[in-house]
Amino acid sequence: MKVFNTMAGKEEDFHPRGEVVTMYVCGITAYDDSHIGHAMAYVIFDVIKRYLRFRGYKIKHIQNFTDIDDKIIQRASQLEIPPLRLANEYIERYFADMDALNIERADIYPRATEEIAQVIEIVQGLLAKGHAYEFEGSVYFRVRNFPAYGKLSHRNLSDMISQMCTYEEKKEYPLDFALWKASKPGEPFWESPWGRGRPGWHIECSAMALKYLGKSIDIHGGGQDLVFPHHENEIAQSESFTGQVPFVRYWLHSGIMQYDRQKMSKSTGNLVGVGEILKRFSPDAVRLFILSSHYRSPLTYSEEAVEASEKGAERLRWALTHQASAGKGVTTLNAELFEQRFVEAMDDDFNTAQAIAVLFELTREINRSAEEGVDIIEAQHILLKLAGVLGFTLREKTQSTPDTDAFIGLLASVRDDLRRNQQWQLADRIRKGLADLGVTLEDTPQGTRWKYKT
RNA sequence: GGCGGUGUAGCCAAGAGGUUAAGGCAGGGGUCUGCAAAACCCCGAUGCGGCGGUUCGAAUCCGCCCGCCGCCUCCA
């Protein structure tokens, strides 16, 4: 299997260090609702994780929450509530959105404010080795001590410096970044050897990765907008602290969601919330939209595109509702070749677009075979299994209950009797009535099938 | 300005030197059908931003140009 490693700038064979693949994915800063750009990133890493498991790996997945930072403090003070309460609320909402999208939970979700001890330990270690310095209660990382700085984002120091107009005087060097920030009056703080303060943004990820996954982890993921400076800084501080190179073996970055010819981002305000979109479309449609293009390409959000995905998702779902014809068919649809092609596509840097094409071809084959009376049960199982690797549930949006299912089934069978007696008016009235209630009836040579309208 | 990405049918989107350029949505024709819907079959780029070049052969490699986007400040 090959994966594109940002560090190498090309695809590489994937060989984890041990039995368990260690995977760290950068989480959110909890000060606002999740938007579909977040959905994109977390759906993608969810699929990567599901596929690795499908290929026989065990995975240990850590994802952080930044629950203290400037924006959280600012927002909280506007709302006049404690910053940690604000963060907690948005973390809960994050979980609700991501659960709805059928994104599997990570093994552990550490929070910055709960890892202060580990952060302080690392900062102390960096100070002791001379890789950091203190100034007025804050501690900065000494970038010039790390010659490899820029290796991930493929930049060099002098280029970056020449572009910088201003920098804070308290730093020795413009690119030095804060490991520990002294707190201003009224801000939340934690006691430290340098006085009251809080962790810098980058350090929490190093602290958590080292604590929960070890000095050298297999996969580190995040959006492409984190490559510089966030991940670059993580490398600098982690490798300087542990002496272990590389800190990360495979850097995986997802493309950025565009909207209205611009990057979708909290700071520009051009957002489409996850909750908002899930009111209109099924989780499968959203996932299908995201996974229809390659994970490293930018993806432009549009309602039309998700609508098209909804139609596609319906086709996949519908192929699973054919009446089983086990044992009756002389021949059986063999779906192994489809599974092979699916694996081939996914082995090539998670080519979900191609994998999805295979699912649609299998769907057509199932439909065709069902009409011909070929046994398709096994093929349906395979379709459901492979769809599951991409996180599709292929369940209808409306949750059915045994009660309503029975009523609808009864109406449908009564209508079938009417149709047999050519009572078209009554039959059509039932169909129309059910349609108004959100149930679609379809008459086929094999009988009437029904589904909830999505 | 530096670094990176990208431009493929009406729309979305794979493919990265060589059989008929995947797949989805929309559209047209047909089969089936009381009608409807679905499903299935057939059709659609002699063409892959433009111009040159390398090659027996290029969406695919090279050069130049044009367009769009990202990062370089917080961001998934």
Coordinates of all heavy atoms in Angstrom, one line a residue, chain A residues 349-426:
Chain A
D349 N -2.8 5.2 -2.3 CA -3.0 6.5 -1.6 C -4.5 6.8 -1.4 O -4.9 8.0 -1.6 CB -2.3 7.6 -2.3 CG -2.2 8.9 -1.4 OD1 -2.1 8.8 -0.2 OD2 -2.2 10.0 -2.0
F350 N -5.2 5.8 -1.0 CA -6.6 6.0 -0.6 C -7.4 6.7 -1.7 O -8.0 7.8 -1.5 CB -6.8 6.8 0.7 CG -5.9 6.3 1.8 CD1 -4.7 7.0 2.1 CD2 -6.2 5.1 2.4 CE1 -3.9 6.5 3.1 CE2 -5.4 4.6 3.4 CZ -4.2 5.3 3.8
N351 N -7.4 6.1 -2.9 CA -8.1 6.7 -4.1 C -9.6 6.3 -3.9 O -10.1 5.4 -4.6 CB -7.5 6.1 -5.4 CG -8.0 6.9 -6.5 OD1 -9.1 7.5 -6.5 ND2 -7.2 7.0 -7.6
T352 N -10.3 7.1 -3.1 CA -11.7 6.8 -2.8 C -12.5 7.1 -4.0 O -13.6 6.4 -4.2 CB -12.2 7.7 -1.7 OG1 -11.9 9.1 -1.9 CG2 -11.5 7.3 -0.3
A353 N -12.2 8.0 -4.9 CA -13.0 8.3 -6.1 C -13.0 7.0 -6.9 O -14.1 6.6 -7.4 CB -12.3 9.4 -6.9
Q354 N -11.9 6.4 -7.1 CA -11.9 5.1 -7.9 C -12.6 4.0 -7.2 O -13.4 3.2 -7.8 CB -10.5 4.7 -8.2 CG -10.2 4.6 -9.7 CD -8.8 4.5 -10.0 OE1 -8.0 4.0 -9.3 NE2 -8.4 5.0 -11.2
A355 N -12.4 4.0 -5.9 CA -13.1 2.9 -5.1 C -14.6 3.1 -5.2 O -15.4 2.1 -5.3 CB -12.7 3.0 -3.6
I356 N -15.1 4.3 -5.2 CA -16.5 4.6 -5.3 C -17.0 4.2 -6.7 O -18.1 3.6 -6.8 CB -16.8 6.0 -5.0 CG1 -16.7 6.3 -3.5 CG2 -18.2 6.4 -5.5 CD1 -16.7 7.7 -3.1
A357 N -16.2 4.4 -7.7 CA -16.6 4.0 -9.1 C -16.8 2.5 -9.1 O -17.8 2.0 -9.7 CB -15.5 4.4 -10.1
V358 N -16.0 1.7 -8.4 CA -16.2 0.3 -8.3 C -17.5 -0.1 -7.6 O -18.2 -1.0 -8.0 CB -15.0 -0.4 -7.5 CG1 -15.2 -1.9 -7.3 CG2 -13.7 -0.1 -8.3
L359 N -17.8 0.7 -6.5 CA -19.1 0.4 -5.8 C -20.3 0.6 -6.8 O -21.2 -0.2 -6.7 CB -19.2 1.3 -4.6 CG -18.2 1.1 -3.5 CD1 -18.6 1.9 -2.3 CD2 -18.0 -0.3 -3.1
F360 N -20.2 1.6 -7.6 CA -21.3 1.9 -8.5 C -21.4 0.8 -9.6 O -22.5 0.4 -10.0 CB -21.2 3.3 -9.1 CG -21.8 4.4 -8.3 CD1 -20.9 5.2 -7.6 CD2 -23.1 4.5 -8.1 CE1 -21.5 6.2 -6.8 CE2 -23.7 5.5 -7.3 CZ -22.8 6.4 -6.6
E361 N -20.2 0.3 -10.0 CA -20.3 -0.7 -11.0 C -20.8 -2.0 -10.4 O -21.6 -2.7 -11.1 CB -18.9 -1.0 -11.6 CG -18.5 0.2 -12.5 CD -17.0 0.0 -13.0 OE1 -16.6 -1.1 -13.3 OE2 -16.4 1.1 -13.2
L362 N -20.5 -2.3 -9.2 CA -21.0 -3.4 -8.5 C -22.5 -3.3 -8.3 O -23.3 -4.2 -8.5 CB -20.3 -3.6 -7.1 CG -20.9 -4.7 -6.2 CD1 -20.8 -6.1 -6.9 CD2 -20.0 -4.8 -4.9
T363 N -22.9 -2.1 -8.0 CA -24.4 -1.8 -7.9 C -25.1 -2.1 -9.1 O -26.2 -2.8 -9.1 CB -24.6 -0.3 -7.5 OG1 -24.0 -0.1 -6.2 CG2 -26.0 0.1 -7.5
R364 N -24.6 -1.7 -10.2 CA -25.3 -2.0 -11.5 C -25.3 -3.5 -11.8 O -26.4 -4.0 -12.2 CB -24.5 -1.3 -12.7 CG -25.4 -1.2 -14.0 CD -24.6 -0.8 -15.2 NE -23.9 0.4 -15.0 CZ -22.6 0.6 -15.2 NH1 -21.9 -0.4 -15.6 NH2 -22.0 1.7 -15.0
E365 N -24.3 -4.1 -11.4 CA -24.2 -5.6 -11.7 C -25.2 -6.3 -10.8 O -25.9 -7.3 -11.2 CB -22.8 -6.1 -11.3 CG -22.4 -7.3 -12.1 CD -22.6 -7.3 -13.6 OE1 -22.2 -6.2 -14.2 OE2 -23.1 -8.2 -14.1
I366 N -25.4 -5.8 -9.5 CA -26.4 -6.4 -8.6 C -27.8 -6.2 -9.2 O -28.6 -7.1 -9.2 CB -26.2 -5.8 -7.2 CG1 -25.0 -6.3 -6.5 CG2 -27.5 -6.1 -6.4 CD1 -24.7 -5.7 -5.2
N367 N -28.1 -5.0 -9.6 CA -29.4 -4.7 -10.2 C -29.7 -5.6 -11.4 O -30.8 -6.1 -11.5 CB -29.5 -3.2 -10.5 CG -29.6 -2.3 -9.3 OD1 -30.0 -2.7 -8.3 ND2 -29.1 -1.1 -9.5
R368 N -28.7 -5.7 -12.2 CA -28.9 -6.4 -13.5 C -29.1 -7.9 -13.1 O -30.1 -8.5 -13.6 CB -27.7 -6.3 -14.4 CG -27.9 -6.9 -15.7 CD -26.7 -6.9 -16.6 NE -25.5 -6.2 -16.1 CZ -24.7 -5.4 -16.9 NH1 -25.1 -5.2 -18.1 NH2 -23.7 -4.9 -16.4
S369 N -28.3 -8.4 -12.2 CA -28.4 -9.8 -11.8 C -29.7 -10.1 -11.2 O -30.3 -11.2 -11.4 CB -27.2 -10.2 -10.9 OG -26.0 -10.0 -11.6
A370 N -30.2 -9.2 -10.3 CA -31.4 -9.4 -9.6 C -32.6 -9.5 -10.6 O -33.5 -10.4 -10.4 CB -31.7 -8.2 -8.7
E371 N -32.6 -8.8 -11.7 CA -33.6 -8.9 -12.7 C -33.6 -10.2 -13.4 O -34.6 -10.8 -13.8 CB -33.4 -7.8 -13.8 CG -34.0 -6.4 -13.3 CD -33.8 -5.4 -14.4 OE1 -33.5 -5.8 -15.6 OE2 -34.0 -4.2 -14.1
E372 N -32.3 -10.8 -13.5 CA -32.2 -12.0 -14.2 C -32.4 -13.2 -13.2 O -32.2 -14.4 -13.7 CB -30.8 -12.1 -14.8 CG -30.7 -11.1 -16.0 CD -29.2 -11.0 -16.4 OE1 -28.3 -11.6 -15.8 OE2 -29.0 -10.2 -17.4
G373 N -32.7 -12.9 -12.0 CA -32.9 -14.0 -11.1 C -31.6 -14.7 -10.5 O -31.7 -15.8 -9.9
V374 N -30.5 -14.0 -10.7 CA -29.2 -14.6 -10.2 C -29.1 -14.3 -8.7 O -29.7 -13.3 -8.2 CB -28.1 -13.9 -11.0 CG1 -26.7 -14.3 -10.3 CG2 -28.1 -14.3 -12.4
D375 N -28.5 -15.2 -8.0 CA -28.4 -15.0 -6.6 C -27.4 -13.9 -6.3 O -26.2 -14.0 -6.7 CB -27.8 -16.4 -6.0 CG -27.8 -16.3 -4.4 OD1 -27.9 -15.2 -3.9 OD2 -27.6 -17.3 -3.8
I376 N -27.9 -12.9 -5.6 CA -27.0 -11.7 -5.4 C -26.7 -11.4 -3.9 O -26.1 -10.4 -3.5 CB -27.7 -10.5 -5.9 CG1 -29.2 -10.4 -5.3 CG2 -27.7 -10.4 -7.4 CD1 -29.8 -9.1 -5.5
I377 N -27.1 -12.4 -3.0 CA -27.0 -12.1 -1.6 C -25.5 -11.9 -1.2 O -25.2 -10.9 -0.5 CB -27.5 -13.3 -0.8 CG1 -29.0 -13.3 -0.9 CG2 -27.1 -13.2 0.7 CD1 -29.7 -14.3 0.0
E378 N -24.6 -12.7 -1.7 CA -23.2 -12.5 -1.4 C -22.7 -11.2 -1.9 O -22.0 -10.5 -1.2 CB -22.4 -13.7 -2.0 CG -21.0 -13.8 -1.4 CD -21.0 -13.9 0.1 OE1 -21.9 -14.6 0.7 OE2 -20.1 -13.3 0.7
A379 N -23.1 -10.9 -3.1 CA -22.7 -9.6 -3.7 C -23.2 -8.4 -2.9 O -22.5 -7.4 -2.7 CB -23.1 -9.5 -5.1
Q380 N -24.4 -8.5 -2.4 CA -24.9 -7.5 -1.6 C -24.1 -7.3 -0.3 O -23.9 -6.2 0.2 CB -26.4 -7.7 -1.2 CG -27.3 -7.4 -2.4 CD -28.8 -7.8 -2.1 OE1 -29.0 -8.8 -1.4 NE2 -29.7 -7.0 -2.5
H381 N -23.7 -8.5 0.3 CA -22.9 -8.4 1.5 C -21.6 -7.7 1.2 O -21.1 -6.9 2.0 CB -22.6 -9.8 2.0 CG -23.8 -10.5 2.7 ND1 -24.8 -9.7 3.3 CD2 -24.2 -11.8 2.8 CE1 -25.7 -10.5 3.8 NE2 -25.4 -11.8 3.5
I382 N -21.0 -8.0 0.1 CA -19.7 -7.4 -0.3 C -19.9 -5.9 -0.5 O -19.1 -5.1 0.0 CB -19.1 -8.1 -1.5 CG1 -18.6 -9.5 -1.1 CG2 -18.0 -7.3 -2.1 CD1 -18.0 -10.3 -2.2
L383 N -21.0 -5.5 -1.2 CA -21.2 -4.1 -1.4 C -21.4 -3.4 0.0 O -20.8 -2.3 0.2 CB -22.5 -3.9 -2.2 CG -23.0 -2.4 -2.4 CD1 -21.9 -1.6 -3.1 CD2 -24.3 -2.4 -3.2
L384 N -22.1 -4.0 0.9 CA -22.3 -3.4 2.2 C -21.0 -3.3 2.9 O -20.7 -2.3 3.6 CB -23.4 -4.2 3.0 CG -23.8 -3.5 4.3 CD1 -24.4 -2.1 4.0 CD2 -24.8 -4.4 5.0
K385 N -20.2 -4.3 2.8 CA -18.9 -4.4 3.5 C -18.0 -3.3 3.0 O -17.4 -2.5 3.8 CB -18.3 -5.8 3.3 CG -16.9 -5.9 4.0 CD -16.3 -7.3 3.8 CE -15.8 -7.5 2.4 NZ -15.0 -8.8 2.2
L386 N -17.8 -3.2 1.7 CA -16.9 -2.2 1.1 C -17.4 -0.8 1.3 O -16.7 0.1 1.6 CB -16.8 -2.5 -0.4 CG -16.2 -3.8 -0.8 CD1 -16.0 -4.0 -2.3 CD2 -14.8 -4.1 -0.1
A387 N -18.7 -0.6 1.3 CA -19.3 0.7 1.5 C -19.0 1.1 3.0 O -18.7 2.2 3.3 CB -20.8 0.7 1.3
G388 N -19.0 0.1 3.9 CA -18.7 0.3 5.3 C -17.3 0.8 5.5 O -17.0 1.5 6.4
V389 N -16.4 0.3 4.6 CA -15.0 0.7 4.7 C -14.9 2.2 4.5 O -14.0 2.9 5.0 CB -14.1 0.0 3.7 CG1 -12.7 0.5 3.7 CG2 -14.1 -1.5 4.1
L390 N -15.8 2.8 3.7 CA -15.8 4.2 3.4 C -16.8 4.9 4.4 O -17.0 6.1 4.2 CB -16.3 4.5 2.0 CG -15.4 3.8 0.9 CD1 -15.9 4.2 -0.5 CD2 -13.9 4.3 1.0
G391 N -17.3 4.1 5.3 CA -18.1 4.8 6.3 C -19.6 5.0 5.9 O -20.3 5.7 6.6
F392 N -20.0 4.4 4.8 CA -21.4 4.6 4.4 C -22.2 3.6 5.2 O -21.8 2.5 5.4 CB -21.6 4.3 2.9 CG -20.9 5.2 2.0 CD1 -19.9 4.7 1.1 CD2 -21.1 6.6 2.0 CE1 -19.2 5.6 0.3 CE2 -20.5 7.4 1.2 CZ -19.5 7.0 0.3
T393 N -23.4 4.0 5.7 CA -24.3 3.1 6.4 C -25.3 2.5 5.4 O -25.7 1.4 5.6 CB -25.1 3.9 7.4 OG1 -25.9 4.8 6.8 CG2 -24.2 4.6 8.4
L394 N -25.6 3.2 4.3 CA -26.6 2.8 3.3 C -27.9 2.5 4.0 O -28.7 1.7 3.5 CB -26.1 1.6 2.5 CG -24.8 1.8 1.7 CD1 -24.5 0.7 0.8 CD2 -24.9 3.1 0.9
R395 N -28.1 3.3 5.1 CA -29.5 3.2 5.7 C -30.2 4.4 5.3 O -29.6 5.5 5.0 CB -29.3 3.2 7.2 CG -29.0 1.8 7.7 CD -29.3 1.7 9.2 NE -28.4 2.6 10.0 CZ -27.2 2.2 10.5 NH1 -26.8 1.0 10.3 NH2 -26.5 3.1 11.1
E396 N -31.5 4.3 5.2 CA -32.3 5.5 4.9 C -32.3 6.5 6.0 O -32.0 6.2 7.1 CB -33.8 5.0 4.6 CG -33.9 4.4 3.3 CD -35.0 3.3 3.3 OE1 -35.8 3.3 4.2 OE2 -35.0 2.5 2.3
K397 N -32.5 7.7 5.5 CA -32.4 8.9 6.4 C -33.4 8.7 7.6 O -33.2 8.9 8.7 CB -32.6 10.2 5.7 CG -32.1 11.4 6.4 CD -31.9 12.6 5.5 CE -32.9 13.6 5.8 NZ -32.8 14.8 4.8
T398 N -34.7 8.4 7.2 CA -35.7 8.3 8.2 C -35.5 6.9 8.9 O -35.4 5.9 8.3 CB -37.1 8.3 7.5 OG1 -37.1 9.4 6.6 CG2 -38.2 8.4 8.5
Q399 N -35.6 7.0 10.2 CA -35.4 5.8 10.9 C -36.8 5.1 10.9 O -37.8 5.6 11.3 CB -35.1 6.1 12.4 CG -33.6 6.4 12.5 CD -32.8 5.1 12.2 OE1 -33.1 4.0 12.6 NE2 -31.7 5.3 11.5
S400 N -36.7 3.8 10.4 CA -38.0 3.1 10.4 C -38.2 2.4 11.8 O -37.2 2.2 12.5 CB -37.9 2.0 9.3 OG -36.9 1.1 9.6
T401 N -39.4 2.1 12.1 CA -39.7 1.3 13.3 C -40.5 0.1 12.9 O -41.1 0.1 11.8 CB -40.5 2.1 14.3 OG1 -41.8 2.3 13.7 CG2 -39.9 3.5 14.6
P402 N -40.4 -0.9 13.6 CA -41.2 -2.2 13.2 C -42.7 -1.8 13.0 O -43.3 -2.4 12.1 CB -41.0 -3.1 14.5 CG -39.7 -2.6 15.1 CD -39.7 -1.1 14.8
D403 N -43.2 -0.9 13.9 CA -44.6 -0.6 13.7 C -45.0 0.0 12.4 O -45.8 -0.5 11.7 CB -45.0 0.4 14.8 CG -45.2 -0.4 16.2 OD1 -45.2 -1.6 16.1 OD2 -45.5 0.3 17.2
T404 N -44.3 1.1 12.1 CA -44.6 1.8 10.8 C -44.3 0.9 9.6 O -45.0 0.9 8.7 CB -43.8 3.1 10.7 OG1 -42.5 2.9 10.9 CG2 -44.3 4.1 11.7
D405 N -43.2 0.2 9.7 CA -42.9 -0.7 8.6 C -44.1 -1.7 8.4 O -44.4 -2.0 7.2 CB -41.6 -1.6 8.9 CG -40.4 -0.7 8.8 OD1 -40.5 0.5 8.6 OD2 -39.3 -1.3 9.0
A406 N -44.6 -2.2 9.4 CA -45.7 -3.2 9.3 C -46.9 -2.5 8.6 O -47.6 -3.1 7.7 CB -46.1 -3.8 10.6
F407 N -47.3 -1.3 9.1 CA -48.4 -0.6 8.5 C -48.2 -0.3 7.0 O -49.1 -0.5 6.2 CB -48.6 0.8 9.2 CG -49.2 0.6 10.6 CD1 -48.6 1.2 11.7 CD2 -50.3 -0.2 10.8 CE1 -49.2 1.1 12.9 CE2 -50.9 -0.3 12.1 CZ -50.3 0.3 13.1
I408 N -47.0 0.2 6.7 CA -46.7 0.5 5.3 C -46.8 -0.8 4.5 O -47.4 -0.8 3.4 CB -45.4 1.2 5.2 CG1 -45.4 2.5 5.8 CG2 -45.0 1.3 3.7 CD1 -44.0 3.1 6.1
G409 N -46.3 -1.9 5.0 CA -46.3 -3.1 4.3 C -47.7 -3.6 4.0 O -48.0 -4.1 2.9
L410 N -48.5 -3.4 5.0 CA -49.9 -3.8 4.9 C -50.6 -3.0 3.8 O -51.3 -3.5 2.9 CB -50.7 -3.6 6.2 CG -52.2 -3.9 6.2 CD1 -52.4 -5.4 6.0 CD2 -52.8 -3.5 7.6
L411 N -50.4 -1.7 3.8 CA -51.0 -0.8 2.8 C -50.6 -1.2 1.4 O -51.3 -1.3 0.5 CB -50.7 0.6 3.1 CG -51.5 1.4 4.0 CD1 -50.9 2.7 4.4 CD2 -52.9 1.6 3.5
A412 N -49.3 -1.5 1.3 CA -48.7 -1.9 0.0 C -49.4 -3.2 -0.5 O -49.6 -3.3 -1.7 CB -47.2 -2.0 0.1
S413 N -49.6 -4.1 0.4 CA -50.1 -5.4 0.0 C -51.6 -5.3 -0.4 O -52.1 -5.9 -1.3 CB -49.9 -6.5 1.0 OG -50.9 -6.5 2.0
V414 N -52.3 -4.4 0.4 CA -53.7 -4.2 0.0 C -53.8 -3.5 -1.4 O -54.6 -3.9 -2.2 CB -54.4 -3.2 1.0 CG1 -55.7 -2.7 0.5 CG2 -54.6 -4.0 2.3
R415 N -52.8 -2.6 -1.6 CA -52.8 -1.9 -2.9 C -52.5 -2.9 -4.0 O -53.0 -2.8 -5.1 CB -51.7 -0.8 -2.8 CG -51.6 -0.1 -4.2 CD -50.7 1.1 -4.1 NE -50.3 1.6 -5.4 CZ -49.3 1.1 -6.1 NH1 -48.5 0.1 -5.5 NH2 -49.0 1.5 -7.3
D416 N -51.6 -3.9 -3.7 CA -51.3 -4.9 -4.7 C -52.6 -5.7 -5.1 O -52.8 -5.9 -6.3 CB -50.3 -5.9 -4.2 CG -48.9 -5.4 -4.5 OD1 -48.7 -4.5 -5.3 OD2 -47.9 -6.0 -3.9
D417 N -53.4 -6.0 -4.1 CA -54.7 -6.6 -4.4 C -55.6 -5.8 -5.3 O -56.2 -6.2 -6.3 CB -55.5 -7.0 -3.1 CG -54.8 -8.1 -2.4 OD1 -54.0 -8.8 -3.0 OD2 -55.1 -8.3 -1.2
L418 N -55.6 -4.5 -5.0 CA -56.4 -3.6 -5.8 C -55.9 -3.5 -7.2 O -56.7 -3.5 -8.2 CB -56.4 -2.1 -5.2 CG -57.0 -2.0 -3.9 CD1 -56.7 -0.6 -3.2 CD2 -58.6 -2.1 -4.0
R419 N -54.6 -3.5 -7.3 CA -54.0 -3.5 -8.7 C -54.3 -4.7 -9.5 O -54.6 -4.7 -10.7 CB -52.5 -3.3 -8.6 CG -52.1 -1.9 -8.1 CD -50.6 -1.8 -8.0 NE -49.9 -1.9 -9.3 CZ -48.9 -2.7 -9.5 NH1 -48.5 -3.5 -8.6 NH2 -48.4 -2.8 -10.7
R420 N -54.3 -5.9 -8.8 CA -54.7 -7.1 -9.5 C -56.1 -7.1 -10.0 O -56.4 -7.6 -11.0 CB -54.5 -8.3 -8.5 CG -53.1 -8.9 -8.6 CD -53.0 -10.2 -7.9 NE -52.9 -10.0 -6.4 CZ -51.7 -9.7 -5.9 NH1 -50.6 -9.6 -6.6 NH2 -51.6 -9.6 -4.6
N421 N -56.9 -6.3 -9.3 CA -58.3 -6.2 -9.7 C -58.5 -4.9 -10.6 O -59.6 -4.5 -10.8 CB -59.3 -6.1 -8.5 CG -59.3 -7.4 -7.8 OD1 -59.3 -8.5 -8.4 ND2 -59.2 -7.4 -6.5
Q422 N -57.4 -4.3 -11.0 CA -57.4 -3.2 -11.8 C -58.2 -2.0 -11.2 O -58.8 -1.2 -11.9 CB -58.0 -3.5 -13.2 CG -57.3 -4.7 -13.8 CD -57.5 -4.8 -15.3 OE1 -58.2 -4.0 -15.9 NE2 -56.7 -5.7 -15.9
Q423 N -58.1 -1.9 -9.9 CA -58.7 -0.7 -9.3 C -57.7 0.4 -9.2 O -57.2 0.7 -8.1 CB -59.1 -1.1 -7.8 CG -60.0 -2.3 -7.8 CD -61.4 -1.9 -7.4 OE1 -61.8 -0.8 -7.5 NE2 -62.2 -2.9 -6.9
W424 N -57.3 0.9 -10.4 CA -56.2 1.9 -10.5 C -56.4 3.1 -9.6 O -55.5 3.6 -9.0 CB -56.0 2.3 -11.9 CG -55.9 1.1 -12.9 CD1 -56.6 0.9 -14.0 CD2 -55.0 0.0 -12.8 NE1 -56.2 -0.3 -14.6 CE2 -55.2 -0.9 -13.9 CE3 -54.0 -0.4 -11.8 CZ2 -54.5 -2.0 -14.1 CZ3 -53.3 -1.6 -12.0 CH2 -53.6 -2.4 -13.2
Q425 N -57.6 3.6 -9.6 CA -57.8 4.9 -8.9 C -57.5 4.7 -7.4 O -56.8 5.6 -6.8 CB -59.3 5.3 -9.0 CG -59.5 6.1 -10.3 CD -60.8 6.9 -10.2 OE1 -61.7 6.6 -9.4 NE2 -60.9 8.0 -11.0
L426 N -58.0 3.7 -6.8 CA -57.7 3.4 -5.4 C -56.2 3.2 -5.1 O -55.6 3.7 -4.2 CB -58.5 2.3 -4.8 CG -60.0 2.6 -4.3 CD1 -60.7 1.3 -3.9 CD2 -59.9 3.6 -3.2

